[in-house]
Short mmCIF file of all heavy atoms in Angstrom, two decimals:
data_model
loop_
_atom_site.label_atom_id
_atom_site.label_comp_id
_atom_site.label_asym_id
_atom_site.label_seq_id
_atom_site.Cartn_x
_atom_site.Cartn_y
_atom_site.Cartn_z
N SER F 115 -22.57 57.88 90.23
CA SER F 115 -22.42 56.91 89.21
C SER F 115 -23.75 56.79 88.51
O SER F 115 -23.75 56.62 87.28
CB SER F 115 -22.13 55.48 89.89
OG SER F 115 -22.77 55.20 90.94
N ARG F 116 -24.85 57.14 89.18
CA ARG F 116 -26.21 57.08 88.36
C ARG F 116 -26.16 58.13 87.32
O ARG F 116 -26.43 57.99 86.16
CB ARG F 116 -27.35 57.34 89.45
CG ARG F 116 -28.72 57.51 88.77
CD ARG F 116 -29.88 57.55 89.80
NE ARG F 116 -29.69 58.45 90.86
CZ ARG F 116 -29.72 59.81 90.80
NH1 ARG F 116 -30.21 60.34 89.57
NH2 ARG F 116 -29.41 60.58 91.91
N VAL F 117 -25.63 59.44 87.70
CA VAL F 117 -25.67 60.49 86.72
C VAL F 117 -24.72 60.21 85.60
O VAL F 117 -24.94 60.39 84.41
CB VAL F 117 -25.22 61.84 87.47
CG1 VAL F 117 -24.94 62.95 86.52
CG2 VAL F 117 -26.34 62.25 88.47
N LYS F 118 -23.60 59.64 85.90
CA LYS F 118 -22.52 59.33 85.05
C LYS F 118 -23.01 58.27 84.05
O LYS F 118 -22.86 58.34 82.81
CB LYS F 118 -21.30 58.66 85.67
CG LYS F 118 -20.16 57.93 84.93
CD LYS F 118 -19.49 58.93 84.02
CE LYS F 118 -18.76 59.98 84.62
NZ LYS F 118 -18.11 60.96 83.71
N LEU F 119 -23.60 57.15 84.46
CA LEU F 119 -24.15 56.09 83.50
C LEU F 119 -25.34 56.62 82.73
O LEU F 119 -25.45 56.24 81.53
CB LEU F 119 -24.53 54.84 84.34
CG LEU F 119 -23.33 53.85 84.29
CD1 LEU F 119 -22.13 54.28 85.27
CD2 LEU F 119 -23.85 52.52 84.68
N ARG F 120 -26.07 57.48 83.24
CA ARG F 120 -27.14 58.10 82.44
C ARG F 120 -26.57 58.94 81.31
O ARG F 120 -27.11 58.84 80.23
CB ARG F 120 -28.20 59.01 83.28
CG ARG F 120 -29.04 58.32 84.38
CD ARG F 120 -30.25 57.57 83.59
NE ARG F 120 -31.05 56.86 84.54
CZ ARG F 120 -30.86 55.62 84.79
NH1 ARG F 120 -29.98 54.83 84.18
NH2 ARG F 120 -31.57 54.88 85.68
N GLU F 121 -25.65 59.76 81.67
CA GLU F 121 -24.95 60.59 80.71
C GLU F 121 -24.33 59.82 79.54
O GLU F 121 -24.22 60.18 78.42
CB GLU F 121 -23.79 61.40 81.41
CG GLU F 121 -24.18 62.74 81.93
CD GLU F 121 -22.94 63.24 82.80
OE1 GLU F 121 -21.82 62.74 82.69
OE2 GLU F 121 -23.27 64.19 83.53
N MET F 122 -23.85 58.56 79.88
CA MET F 122 -23.22 57.83 78.92
C MET F 122 -24.25 56.91 78.13
O MET F 122 -23.86 56.17 77.30
CB MET F 122 -22.17 56.82 79.73
CG MET F 122 -21.01 57.45 80.28
SD MET F 122 -19.81 56.37 81.19
CE MET F 122 -18.85 55.79 79.93
N GLY F 123 -25.43 57.01 78.56
CA GLY F 123 -26.43 56.42 77.69
C GLY F 123 -26.99 55.07 78.20
O GLY F 123 -27.79 54.41 77.44
N TYR F 124 -26.50 54.58 79.38
CA TYR F 124 -27.13 53.30 79.85
C TYR F 124 -28.52 53.44 80.37
O TYR F 124 -28.75 54.19 81.32
CB TYR F 124 -26.09 52.84 80.93
CG TYR F 124 -24.80 52.41 80.40
CD1 TYR F 124 -23.75 53.18 80.47
CD2 TYR F 124 -24.66 51.19 79.80
CE1 TYR F 124 -22.52 52.89 80.03
CE2 TYR F 124 -23.37 50.82 79.35
CZ TYR F 124 -22.27 51.70 79.55
OH TYR F 124 -21.09 51.34 79.02
N ALA F 125 -29.46 52.80 79.77
CA ALA F 125 -30.87 52.79 80.10
C ALA F 125 -31.28 51.59 80.82
O ALA F 125 -32.38 51.53 81.44
CB ALA F 125 -31.80 52.98 78.87
N ASN F 126 -30.42 50.60 80.93
CA ASN F 126 -30.70 49.34 81.52
C ASN F 126 -30.25 49.05 82.97
O ASN F 126 -29.91 47.94 83.25
CB ASN F 126 -30.46 48.11 80.53
CG ASN F 126 -28.90 48.06 80.31
OD1 ASN F 126 -28.24 49.03 80.57
ND2 ASN F 126 -28.30 46.82 79.97
N VAL F 127 -29.93 50.14 83.73
CA VAL F 127 -29.51 50.08 84.92
C VAL F 127 -30.45 50.76 85.98
O VAL F 127 -30.92 51.90 85.68
CB VAL F 127 -28.04 50.67 85.18
CG1 VAL F 127 -27.58 50.50 86.58
CG2 VAL F 127 -27.21 50.20 84.19
#
Side-chain angles (χ1 to χ4, degrees):
S115 49
R116 178 172 46 78
V117 169
K118 167 67 63 189
L119 266 71
R120 289 283 178 270
E121 274 172 10
M122 292 175 88
Y124 290 94
N126 61 339
V127 182

